[in-house]
Amino acid sequence: NFTYCPATGLAKGNEHSEFAGWAFPFPGVFLTEEFISEDEESEIVELMDRDDWKPSQSGRKKQDYGPKVNFKKQRLKAGSFTGLPNFSKKIVAQMKACSVLGGFLPVEQCNLDYMPERGSAIDPHFDDWWLWGERLVSLNLLSKTVLTMSCDSEDSIQLFPTFSEENGELSPLGSFTQTSACKNSGKEGINCILSPRLVPSKEVTVAIHLPQRSLVVLYGDARYKWKHAIYRKHIEHRRICVTFRELSAEFSAGGRHEELGKELLEIALSFQGRPV
C-alpha cells in the first residue's frame, strides 16, 4: 500500500489505497539504475548459463559461491568454496563508486533464477545476521521486478501528509512538521490542520521497484526491521538476482572469528570460483 521513492527516500501511500496522500521516511535503501550496461548484462548471464543451475525453493534455481554453512547450528567451513566467479571482479570494483558501499568486501555470492512458468517467488524473510553483515547488495538482471517490504513489529509508523495545496508537490524528506496547514478548497479563508497519523507497522507494505540492471542495497532498518520478499505476480519474465553479502562483526577485525573471516575473504576475493 506504499511505494518507495528513491529521489526522496520516502514511502508514499499508493493512489487507490487508504494511505493516499500520506508518506513516511523509509531509511536503509540505496538504489541505482543502469548499474551495468546491456552488453555487460548479456555477457554475465551467458557466463552464468555455462554452469549448472541447481533447484532451489519456491520455483527458483540457484548458483552459490560461498562457504558451507549450517545456520541452525552456527557452524561453517570453507568446504569446496574456491572464491567468487571471475566475472564478478568488475562488478565488485564498480560498487566502490556507491556512497553506501565504502569498505564493502563480499564473502559470498548467490545467483537466483526466477521464471514465471515455475511460479518463482520468495516469502518475506530476514537474511541471517550471525554470519552476514549489515549490507545486502543485489543486482537485478533480465527483467524488472518489485521487492516487497513488510514488518512484523508491534510498533506504529507515523505518517505525514504529502501534499500542500499551494504547490501540489510531495514534501521533501526532512520538511515534515508536526502539523501542516492547508486551505480548505471549499471555504475561502478556513484552514484545516493535518496532523501526523499513526498506523500499526503490520498494516504497512512498501514496494521497492527494481528496474532491469539496477543495484539495490538494504541496510539499517531495511535490513534488520523489515522483511523482504518477491511475489509471483512480480515475476513477468526470466529474472536473475545476483546477491552479494559481507561478513558480520563476529567474523571481521576484532571479532570472535576474525581469523576464519580473513581466510574466507581471501578465498572469495581470489575471483577463481565455480558454483559450490
Side-chain angles (χ1 to χ4, degrees):
N1 39 32
F2 286 81
T3 298
Y4 177 73
C5 173
T8 60
L10 300 177
K12 180 186 173 188
N14 291 340
E15 197 177 324
H16 299 295
S17 78
E18 61 174 304
F19 302 114
W22 296 88
F24 66 98
F26 194 81
V29 179
F30 173 86
L31 179 67
T32 181
E33 296 188 23
E34 297 292 336
F35 183 73
I36 60 172
S37 69
E38 288 184 38
D39 288 345
E40 287 170 324
E41 176 186 47
S42 298
E43 184 184 353
I44 289 166
V45 173
E46 185 190 333
L47 290 168
M48 283 180 186
D49 284 341
R50 290 180 188 178
D51 285 312
D52 290 335
W53 289 90
K54 294 181 179 177
S56 184
Q57 297 169 319
S58 304
R60 294 169 294 146
K61 291 186 176 181
K62 68 178 179 178
Q63 294 174 341
D64 273 322
Y65 299 83
K68 189 171 183 177
V69 189
N70 184 322
F71 290 108
K72 284 186 181 175
K73 295 183 179 177
Q74 294 197 341
R75 290 182 191 161
L76 83 155
K77 56 184 179 181
S80 55
F81 180 39
T82 53
L84 304 189
N86 186 259
F87 65 77
S88 292
K89 195 171 187 176
K90 190 177 177 185
I91 298 172
V92 171
Q94 282 175 227
M95 287 180 192
K96 291 176 182 173
C98 299
S99 57
V100 299
L101 290 177
F104 183 80
L105 298 172
V107 73
E108 192 247 16
Q109 175 179 331
C110 181
N111 305 334
L112 287 168
D113 183 313
Y114 291 73
M115 289 280 275
E117 293 84 353
R118 296 196 302 265
S120 302
I122 187 165
D123 290 336
H125 68 285
F126 293 114
D127 279 29
D128 174 82
W129 46 64
W130 164 67
L131 176 58
W132 309 134
E134 178 167 2
R135 293 166 292 187
L136 304 176
V137 183
S138 290
L139 182 60
N140 186 57
L141 303 179
L142 295 183
S143 62
K144 64 181 172 123
T145 193
V146 177
L147 192 62
T148 301
M149 311 296 288
S150 58
C151 186
D152 292 339
S153 164
E154 296 298 330
D155 297 345
S156 292
I157 293 172
Q158 193 171 37
L159 306 182
F160 298 90
T162 56
F163 272 90
S164 68
E165 287 198 356
E166 288 169 23
N167 56 23
E169 289 179 1
L170 186 67
S171 305
L173 187 60
S175 72
F176 290 127
T177 53
Q178 286 303 103
T179 58
S180 167
C182 67
K183 285 193 175 178
N184 185 312
S185 57
K187 298 177 182 177
E188 283 289 315
I190 296 178
N191 287 343
C192 64
I193 303 298
L194 288 174
S195 299
R197 171 182 171 189
L198 283 176
V199 295
S201 297
K202 290 179 178 178
E203 291 182 12
V204 171
T205 55
V206 180
I208 302 175
H209 288 267
L210 304 181
Q212 186 175 347
R213 293 186 300 282
S214 64
L215 185 89
V216 66
V217 183
L218 301 181
Y219 60 97
D221 280 0
R223 160 82 163 105
Y224 296 116
K225 184 178 176 183
W226 293 80
K227 291 181 176 180
H228 55 277
I230 300 278
Y231 293 121
R232 284 178 177 81
K233 64 182 178 181
H234 293 135
I235 299 298
E236 299 170 9
H237 307 284
R238 187 186 184 196
R239 175 215 178 214
I240 291 178
C241 172
V242 186
T243 296
F244 298 90
R245 298 180 176 97
E246 63 184 340
L247 290 167
S248 67
E250 197 167 327
F251 292 86
S252 302
R256 193 155 57 106
H257 300 299
E258 177 183 356
E259 288 306 311
L260 178 55
K262 273 185 189 172
E263 179 195 341
L264 294 173
L265 266 179
E266 201 170 299
I267 295 169
L269 300 179
S270 69
F271 293 101
Q272 295 174 3
R274 297 294 301 271
V276 295

